[in-house]
Amino acid sequence: MRPALPVVLSTLLLALPAAAHEPIASVRVAFDRNGITASSAEGLADIASNRAVSIDDPVRIASISKLVLAIGVLRLVEEGKLDLDTDVSTYLGSPLRHPQFPDTPITLRLMLSHRSGLTDNAGYWATPLDGDIRQILDDPRAWDTRAPGTWFRYTNLNSPLVASMMERVTGERFDELMQRLVLQPAGIDACYGWETCDEQTAARAVVLYDENRVPVVDDNQGRKPDCNVRRARDGSCDLALWQPGRNGGAFSPQGGLRISASGLARIGRLLLGDGEIDGVRVLSPASVATLTTPQWVYQPGNGQTWEDGEPEPPPGVPRATMCRYGQGTITLATDHPDCGDDPFGDGIARVGHSGNAYGLRSGLWIDPASGTGVAYFATGMDGAPVGSHSAFTAEEERLAKGEE
């Protein structure tokens, strides 16, 4: 997830012809507790083959992956294998303490709500298959200057560390574990990486493109990729190198979920159903409440509302898309002048998550009060202008509201 563009740049982009920022693919699914109520799919999943996109085509959904990860964590909490308020050093197999605040325990609750004291400044995605994600923690840049629990800083590194803990307490590889805990019980054909998806699903991948419409992710060319993780240091891609808990980032828990818009709708229906979908209980109602209740609410001086690596918003500009964060969930429409977190423009406090990576913008949002929700994504969105009433892009506002 990334913040909106700087004001000057966004003003220039708004002046450009609309066609210059048309998405390559644009997909939207509306749903309620019982199923899909409306859908639309426009554009191409793959430019080279001229293949039209559909609501069932899987896409690398970016940070919505964190919401699904959190569901998996809560499943393990219910199984008694994890606890949200235990020092995570117990689960990681080595100490995880802020070097400046060694007496302050870091918990899963803090990690899932991005209050762990970690940053992305030392990296999070490039650990090779045979590497150890924990080595990043030795870099001073991996740590904020503030104590855990006192500051919100959206940090992708939390996710591979959490995935490592999940692997270590179960002995299961993360991508296979998420199939068992979440995707299969919820009846969703999806996968972290491509390894646990079949050939037919991988062949329908939505290609992600840069600003020049050059493929950058999932140019599968009608088949399953030969290597579905970051290669080992010697260039090999042998999953026999995997060891439980050493490198939970291998299958990109922070953003690497491949899932369709119709699959996202099932995640939304699961949350609307208080943990149950089509008669199958995946989570308890109490766990859903834990996921969706904000742990952090923005006030000036209590958090960073832009992602590491992005420019800091100018003072006084309502550009924050994250102003309330739970356990892997964002709550929209925060009543604060610094917040631009209402792409729907109606003030309703929807819950879900957004995504932004490799030219993709995505969202999954539910309104528990009305029992309805929407899932969407658009590709080819690098450089897209901000919307008229929020810090989200104009295309995200259009998809959120279901406008033609």
Side-chain angles (χ1 to χ4, degrees):
M1 195 177 155
R2 300 173 185 166
L5 294 166
V7 173
V8 174
L9 179 56
S10 64
T11 301
L12 291 173
L13 288 172
L14 285 168
L16 292 173
H21 299 285
E22 288 292 324
I24 296 169
S26 183
V27 177
R28 181 183 191 272
V29 172
F31 55 89
D32 60 19
R33 292 185 177 92
N34 298 315
I36 293 174
T37 57
S39 67
S40 63
E42 303 172 347
L44 298 176
D46 184 348
I47 294 175
S49 65
N50 202 38
R51 175 165 54 90
V53 72
S54 82
I55 67 169
D56 297 318
D57 291 337
V59 67
R60 187 187 187 280
I61 206 62
S63 288
I64 299 176
S65 306
K66 296 180 176 71
L67 187 161
V68 183
L69 167 69
I71 294 173
V73 171
L74 267 292
R75 283 294 312 274
L76 292 179
V77 169
E78 292 183 0
E79 290 181 3
K81 292 184 173 68
L82 294 173
D83 179 82
L84 291 179
D85 298 306
T86 293
D87 183 341
V88 296
S89 302
T90 303
Y91 306 129
L92 195 59
S94 59
L96 182 64
R97 292 295 178 95
H98 195 304
Q100 297 179 42
F101 306 96
D103 296 328
T104 303
I106 297 173
T107 65
L108 279 169
R109 190 181 299 276
L110 294 180
M111 296 186 80
L112 291 175
S113 60
H114 299 284
R115 297 175 297 139
S116 63
L118 288 164
T119 83
D120 284 335
N121 290 338
Y124 64 88
W125 58 271
T127 301
L129 175 60
D130 57 345
D132 191 328
I133 192 75
R134 292 170 295 185
Q135 291 179 349
I136 295 174
L137 304 174
D138 296 331
D139 189 326
R141 295 174 299 171
W143 299 96
D144 202 309
T145 59
R146 302 164 182 86
T150 66
W151 183 259
F152 174 86
R153 185 167 182 165
Y154 186 81
T155 301
N156 288 282
L157 179 58
N158 287 307
S159 296
L161 290 170
V162 169
S164 294
M165 298 173 208
M166 296 169 74
E167 290 186 343
R168 194 167 181 274
V169 301
T170 63
E172 298 175 66
R173 206 176 70 198
F174 173 74
D175 61 327
E176 296 176 334
L177 180 61
M178 290 301 292
Q179 291 289 340
R180 176 176 73 81
L181 293 175
V182 182
L183 300 174
Q184 290 178 359
I188 300 171
D189 181 12
C191 45
Y192 280 85
W194 289 110
E195 191 65 26
T196 54
C197 274
D198 60 25
E199 294 281 347
Q200 291 74 25
T201 301
R204 301 199 314 273
V206 177
V207 183
L208 300 184
Y209 299 89
D210 66 14
E211 62 273 16
N212 297 313
R213 298 202 163 194
V214 174
V216 289
V217 171
D218 290 345
D219 186 16
N220 290 357
Q221 299 180 21
R223 60 183 181 85
K224 191 171 179 176
D226 295 329
C227 186
N228 296 298
V229 295
R230 186 168 184 84
R231 293 181 181 274
R233 283 167 285 195
D234 64 1
S236 65
C237 190
D238 183 359
L239 291 179
L241 295 170
W242 171 83
Q243 295 178 15
R246 186 179 64 180
N247 180 14
F251 292 93
S252 301
Q254 75 281 352
L257 177 64
R258 272 64 173 189
I259 189 171
S260 65
S262 57
L264 281 181
R266 293 192 67 82
I267 294 293
R269 290 178 56 210
L270 173 69
L271 299 178
L272 285 174
D274 284 331
E276 182 176 312
I277 180 170
D278 295 340
V280 176
R281 178 153 299 282
V282 180
L283 277 181
S284 70
S287 290
V288 174
T290 297
L291 282 172
T292 57
T293 300
Q295 301 290 304
W296 168 80
V297 179
Y298 170 76
Q299 290 294 329
N302 77 346
Q304 173 179 302
T305 59
W306 62 96
E307 189 172 351
D308 286 339
E310 297 292 340
E312 180 178 348
V317 177
R319 286 185 40 239
T321 58
M322 293 178 287
C323 283
R324 285 183 283 182
Y325 209 98
Q327 300 292 290
T329 60
I330 296 170
T331 299
L332 295 179
T334 306
D335 186 17
H336 192 283
D338 291 344
C339 299
D341 59 345
D342 186 9
F344 294 83
D346 56 13
I348 293 175
R350 292 174 176 85
V351 183
H353 214 290
S354 55
N356 176 6
Y358 304 109
L360 171 126
R361 295 290 182 129
S362 61
L364 170 63
W365 307 108
I366 62 166
D367 173 10
S370 67
T372 61
V374 62
Y376 57 77
F377 68 82
T379 66
M381 295 296 291
D382 280 346
V386 296
S388 61
H389 57 265
S390 76
F392 290 81
T393 64
E395 179 66 10
E396 288 171 284
E397 289 185 352
R398 184 185 76 84
L399 290 170
K401 294 180 288 186
E403 296 176 341
E404 296 297 330

